[in-house]
Amino acid sequence: MRTLILLALAGLGAQLVDGSLGMAYGVTSTTLLLAMGTNPAAASATVHLAEIGTTLMSGASHWRFGNVDWKVVGKIGVPGAIGSFLGATVLSKLSTEVAAPLMSLILLGLGVYVMSRFTFRGLPKDRVGLPLRRRFLTPLGLVAGFLDATGGGGWGPVGTPALLASGRMEPRKVIGSIDTSEFLVAVAASLGFLLSLGSQGIDFVWVAAFLVGGLVAAPIAAWLVRILPPRVLGSAVGGVILVTNVRTLLNSDWLAVSGATAVAVYVALYALWAAALTYSIRAHLKEGKAAGIESAEERQAAVKVTL
């Protein structure tokens, strides 16, 4: 029962972050399952089965709050589904000894990307409104979908920053569109795993626990996307993913690092994480202060014009 409660809370927390940032549900949940010793393919399958429900609820919630661009959903979601089906098939054929550190390596790379992306760059705001072309969205969807299935997460960490970096969509619409299109990715990946693995290694009670937590959080996250500071959340989530997957790699046969060396690595990682969070918080406060000053100057200018 304690495990189920933990998984439900993890699903709730992961969906809150995912619905607010447009990423990290799969990466966070899969990281937890790997840390609990779950087979990599089964871990990814479990998360994607739960995501069928959470992404459907999340997409509906984002649509309700006007956060979805349906043209983008179609152009990126279909190739994403194809990529995720292929990724699920590939991961299912790898041995556990190879798949576990390989998945952690992919997740580690995504964690580094998420943390550095949000810590140092924040969210771009120019070029909003220019169209996104299919020749950009199709390969992006294929790559993001493939990584999502093989890494247990990756649709958001790859897709969301790419769309944000384009500067052609409002951040809330990027997040809403990525979360909505992820439903197609989750369905395709789940079919790929079920066809390749059957139900082998998949605990459907765990799936239900993740699903319940995610369903509770989805509508809240769609509302919170308007008020939470994504920069700070991105740094926090990236750090969690980074630390957890480094632990998996250090304990794997690839590295087998322990003792004083492992402690030194953990100390360095936690220090890096704390520095990233501190930087993000200060940058967020600085941006808020600058925006406040700019608004005050605009109000003063308006008063002068009126007079």
Side-chain angles (χ1 to χ4, degrees), residues 67-154:
N67 298 334
V68 180
D69 184 326
W70 290 104
K71 290 183 179 180
V72 172
V73 170
K75 290 178 182 178
I76 197 173
V78 173
I82 295 171
S84 65
F85 184 86
L86 294 174
T89 304
V90 169
L91 182 61
S92 299
K93 297 184 182 303
L94 294 177
S95 67
T96 301
E97 291 74 15
V98 174
L102 179 61
M103 182 183 283
S104 289
L105 193 61
I106 294 173
L107 291 169
L108 176 61
L110 293 172
V112 170
Y113 185 79
V114 169
M115 187 168 74
S116 60
R117 178 69 176 80
F118 282 89
T119 298
F120 296 112
R121 298 187 63 185
L123 296 173
K125 298 177 181 178
D126 56 351
R127 304 177 69 196
V128 173
L130 295 177
L132 285 163
R133 302 188 182 278
R134 191 181 297 274
R135 65 189 179 192
F136 167 69
L137 294 174
T138 296
L140 175 63
L142 284 169
V143 172
F146 186 86
L147 286 176
D148 189 82
T150 54

Side-chain angles (χ1 to χ4, degrees), residues 171-196:
R172 67 183 182 89
K173 288 206 169 185
V174 169
I175 293 169
S177 300
I178 285 292
D179 273 7
T180 302
S181 58
E182 193 171 10
F183 172 74
L184 300 175
V185 174
V187 170
S190 298
L191 287 174
F193 282 120
L194 289 174
L195 289 174
S196 300

